Amino acid sequence: MGFCPEATTDWFQIYNGESKKQKSSPIVMANLAIPTIDLSPFFNNEDAENSKKRVKEIIRQACSEYGFFQIVNHGVPLDLLSRAMELSKAFFRFSDEEKLECNPNAGAPLLAGYSKQPEISPDKNEYILMFPPETGFNILPSNPPDFREAMEELFSYFTKAGQLVESIMNDSLGLPENFLKEYNNDRSWDFMVAMHYFPATESENNGITPHEDGNTVTFVVQDEAGGLEVCKNGEWIPVIPELGKIVVNLGDSIQVMTNKKFKSATHRVVRPKGRSRHSFAFFYNIQGDKWVEPLPQFTKEIGETAKYRGFFYKDYQALRMRNKTHPSARPEDAINITHYEISTS
């Protein structure tokens, strides 16, 4: 494991002793690094209020300290996750000529359809990007059969999971009921990516270089090859794939809105040697014309200075896309959320 920035204090032991006393705990120490949180209290009524309250507190801790966690019993059917992953793998086994029949739609906010990272990019992957089905932006393959149906169904379930996690974060932050939902009620900029990472070579193994996401919440499902790593306590920690678990990481927008109360998670993808790596990433997003700035609940109402200048989300997205299309010679020169930070010196 290599060094990564922003070491923080480990809080997981706070819950470890308590979890041994509970028949069913919302946190499971699966790999002693990444917390796994059970969302089943939000789908049943048995002792719901106490269980929900405890889950909200654990998620608040995870979002405040690290900006990432995993969820189980999240409402996304496991058979759908498995079926969608197999269909995605089948598509990426096709020839380049067949895949290019899903050429990207230039009319979408981002290029919907099939794309491949340019040779100059440090990231080595290919992908299909899709927006909500009702937007009309999507260009999806007709082969393999059922690909479109499975992807649209998966998209729908991820949207519902995003709304649930957003609601939990809302309450964890002490915001008025449905505040975040009403602030960010346009779902047209949400998107999902089915990704294929090429096997590592002798000279390089990165699939996606270290970064933070620009949105509010991202869901990641990876196949058995793994490769996702998150920054914790100054170390790169592998996220061990396990059927049914969805990785959740926060993005820059929620970090800005909460004035750094919640953290944007630093992560990367390391490609394994001798095998491909497949995953889904769902980006619960903000509509492009939305103005993003630290909320008054976390600044003037509590006597704190704003740590960021405000910006239109589409402008920040454009800067981040330029990082991909015109990568800097030095990774540290890439535009990120520090571009909007207000200096306190």
Side-chain angles (χ1 to χ4, degrees), residues 57 103 181 226 254 282 292:
E57 173 59 20
N103 265 333
K181 178 181 179 180
I254 197 69
F282 179 86
V292 181

Side-chain angles (χ1 to χ4, degrees), residues 20-38:
K20 293 176 182 176
K21 301 174 186 177
Q22 303 291 329
K23 181 178 293 185
S24 177
S25 171
I27 184 168
V28 181
M29 301 302 294
N31 60 359
L32 304 180
I34 311 301
T36 298
I37 299 169
D38 184 353

Side-chain angles (χ1 to χ4, degrees), residues 6-296:
E6 295 195 18
T8 49
T9 304
D10 197 337
W11 55 269
F12 298 113
Q13 295 303 319
I14 295 173
Y15 300 99
N16 200 27
E18 183 179 356
S19 67
K20 293 176 182 176
K21 301 174 186 177
Q22 303 291 329
K23 181 178 293 185
S24 177
S25 171
I27 184 168
V28 181
M29 301 302 294
N31 60 359
L32 304 180
I34 311 301
T36 298
I37 299 169
D38 184 353
L39 297 186
S40 60
F42 295 88
F43 294 93
N44 62 59
N45 294 318
E46 184 180 350
D47 192 28
E49 289 311 309
N50 286 337
S51 298
K52 287 179 183 178
K53 183 177 179 180
R54 185 160 180 262
V55 170
K56 290 174 184 178
E57 173 59 20
I58 295 172
I59 286 182
R60 185 192 67 80
Q61 288 278 54
C63 293
S64 300
E65 294 289 337
Y66 304 121
F68 60 83
F69 50 94
Q70 297 182 103
I71 53 175
V72 294
N73 297 319
H74 35 63
V76 184
L78 303 192
D79 61 341
L80 175 60
L81 286 172
S82 297
R83 181 161 56 93
M85 186 66 75
E86 290 308 310
L87 287 167
S88 179
K89 290 181 178 181
F91 171 79
F92 287 115
R93 284 195 293 266
F94 291 158
S95 68
D96 287 348
E97 182 179 1
E98 291 175 286
K99 288 182 286 193
L100 285 171
E101 291 179 5
C102 292
N103 265 333
N105 182 350
L110 298 174
L111 294 179
Y114 172 78
S115 295
K116 189 175 183 179
Q117 297 288 1
E119 290 298 322
I120 60 171
S121 174
D123 300 335
K124 306 299 179 186
N125 59 68
E126 57 182 347
Y127 57 91
I128 285 185
L129 185 151
M130 66 176 292
F131 285 90
E134 61 271 17
T135 62
F137 291 138
N138 296 326
I139 300 178
L140 298 172
S142 56
N143 196 24
D146 302 328
F147 184 94
R148 176 183 290 272
E149 179 186 3
M151 297 305 143
E152 290 183 349
E153 186 178 3
L154 185 59
F155 197 107
S156 175
Y157 275 106
F158 276 145
T159 300
K160 293 174 185 176
Q163 291 168 332
L164 174 57
V165 170
E166 179 184 63
S167 173
I168 294 171
M169 290 197 306
N170 185 96
D171 295 349
S172 299
L173 287 163
L175 291 169
E177 187 176 1
N178 292 327
F179 180 92
L180 289 179
K181 178 181 179 180
E182 293 167 6
Y183 174 90
N184 181 31
N185 62 1
D186 187 327
R187 303 264 51 88
S188 63
W189 273 51
D190 293 348
F191 63 89
M192 183 175 76
V193 188
M195 306 190 76
H196 168 225
Y197 296 82
F198 309 114
T201 66
E202 292 300 322
S203 59
E204 50 83 41
N205 65 0
N206 60 286
I208 293 184
T209 50
H211 67 287
E212 297 80 37
D213 292 342
N215 59 325
T216 51
V217 178
T218 303
F219 296 141
V220 176
V221 176
Q222 53 181 348
D223 71 353
E224 64 280 0
L228 177 64
E229 296 183 353
V230 293
C231 183
K232 173 182 177 291
N233 288 350
E235 298 287 338
W236 287 110
I237 306 298
V239 180
I240 308 303
E242 189 171 331
L243 181 63
K245 289 186 178 180
I246 297 176
V247 180
V248 182
N249 69 261
L250 305 191
D252 293 338
S253 295
I254 197 69
Q255 177 169 294
V256 170
M257 287 189 288
T258 64
N259 209 32
K260 283 191 175 180
K261 295 293 186 292
F262 279 3
K263 301 295 190 299
S264 181
T266 302
H267 54 290
R268 67 182 183 185
V269 172
V270 176
R271 291 145 52 204
K273 285 187 177 181
R275 63 188 305 190
S276 294
R277 186 242 190 203
H278 296 265
S279 68
F280 288 105
F282 179 86
F283 296 85
Y284 194 80
N285 234 320
I286 289 181
Q287 199 274 340
D289 290 327
K290 190 71 179 179
W291 183 256
V292 181
E293 65 180 351
L295 297 172

